[in-house]
Amino acid sequence: MPRPTAAQLAYGSATVIFSTLAMLLLSQTSSGLGVAVIALAALGLGLLVALTVPLPKSRPAAPPTTAAATEERVPVQRAIVPSAAAPQAAAESVYEVAPSGTRGPAGP
């Protein structure tokens, strides 16, 4: 049987405590037998809540990779040719900021 998670312990304990208090206050019992029945009912309810807390999903195994999928894709370095009419500063990277503010590949 797998070990309980922290969430299961917390939810189960809180359920036992609050359901015991609620049932004792609502029933207004003072006999030992009534308190024992309420305590057992609260423990059963706490156990039920702890067991129904969803467990964390295990991650599925990664699909097998092919040689083409493992290759690293690197953008091609392009030389910037300044026009004769207006001198331009050299780009610091292969990407330039497009007029719309989005980034795109440099070049034609």
Side-chain angles (χ1 to χ4, degrees):
M1 183 173 177
R3 295 172 56 180
T5 63
Q8 288 174 316
L9 291 174
Y11 286 133
S13 299
T15 301
V16 169
I17 291 168
F18 290 126
S19 62
T20 302
L21 288 175
M23 286 188 280
L24 285 174
L25 290 174
L26 290 174
S27 69
Q28 297 179 353
T29 186
S30 58
S31 68
L33 183 62
V35 172
V37 168
I38 289 174
L40 285 175
L43 284 173
L45 185 61
L47 183 63
L48 178 70
V49 167
L51 292 178
T52 57
V53 170
L55 295 174
K57 302 288 183 196
S58 61
R59 295 184 179 177
T65 58
T66 62
T70 58
E71 291 179 9
E72 184 178 339
R73 299 186 74 186
V74 180
V76 176
Q77 297 289 333
R78 296 181 181 170
I80 298 176
V81 179
S83 66
Q88 296 179 350
E92 295 179 11
S93 71
V94 295
Y95 295 102
E96 294 178 356
V97 177
S100 65
T102 59
R103 295 180 61 92

